[in-house]
Amino acid sequence: MGIFGRKDTETTAAATATVSPELAALTGAYTIDPAHSTIGFVARHAMVTNVKGKFNEFTGALHLDGTDPSKSSASIDVTMDSIDTGSADRDGHLKTADFFKTDEFPQMTFRSTAAQALGGDDYRITGDLTILGVTKPLTIDLEFNGAAKDPFGNERVGFEGKAEILRSDWGLTWNAALETGGVLVSDKIKLNFDISAIKNA
């Protein structure tokens, strides 16, 4: 069952307006649990393979509305120095002026501006992504993975999300030409999110 409920074409308008106690109970403020969440990315390297990476340090908050998904919201702050692609040399290069300039711009942020239920467990959230001081719109497609109480008594919800951006839109234009044609790093970057969030007391 979706966090905001599913559309049932056989129900009347009055019945559709009724929110189940289970779904309504999910309404509230949540804190993203970084120990059980992942903010990652995939970039094409040398035209032939993919490099996967993630950010190890971030904070975030969600507000979920079980009766009206358009009132839901999300915010995330990512520490850019925590970038991790499995290669210390590559990570060091990504922190320099060629890419993220982490000394000057230590954080990447996302602030939602709209949310939408697409049906079933699928949702879409739109917001402002800021990198290198440049703010551009970003749309993330989300799948609701469910809600449960963990062994420590925490009420949790889970989402998986994906999006694509052109890094050049944020001024990330460094590249190197290949002898065989093409470039070293793709402009298109795939973003992926695996989020576990705990309901605030």
Side-chain angles (χ1 to χ4, degrees), residues 10-34:
E10 296 181 358
T11 59
T12 65
T16 302
T18 302
V19 178
S20 74
E22 177 186 0
L23 295 175
L26 296 179
T27 297
Y30 292 75
T31 299
I32 293 175
D33 176 10

Side-chain angles (χ1 to χ4, degrees), residues 15-135:
T16 302
T18 302
V19 178
S20 74
E22 177 186 0
L23 295 175
L26 296 179
T27 297
Y30 292 75
T31 299
I32 293 175
D33 176 10
H36 297 94
S37 301
T38 302
I39 296 177
F41 59 89
V42 180
R44 180 74 72 177
H45 179 261
M47 309 293 291
V48 297
T49 190
N50 290 322
V51 169
K52 297 180 180 180
K54 61 180 180 177
F55 296 95
N56 292 324
E57 297 178 19
F58 53 89
T59 59
L62 309 176
H63 175 76
L64 304 182
D65 192 312
T67 63
D68 184 353
S70 69
K71 295 180 180 178
S72 298
S73 61
S75 65
I76 299 175
D77 297 286
V78 177
T79 301
M80 299 306 286
D81 259 340
S82 71
I83 194 166
D84 181 0
T85 65
S87 166
D89 288 342
R90 181 167 52 222
D91 295 344
H93 187 201
L94 289 169
K95 297 175 186 180
T96 70
D98 284 343
F99 287 96
F100 291 118
K101 305 178 185 178
T102 59
D103 287 343
E104 185 178 354
F105 300 100
Q107 285 194 323
M108 172 175 64
T109 65
F110 175 79
R111 299 289 183 269
S112 68
T113 56
Q116 179 185 7
L118 302 179
D121 293 325
D122 297 327
Y123 303 89
R124 179 168 292 154
I125 189 164
T126 302
D128 294 326
L129 177 65
T130 301
I131 308 172
L132 297 176
V134 177
T135 301

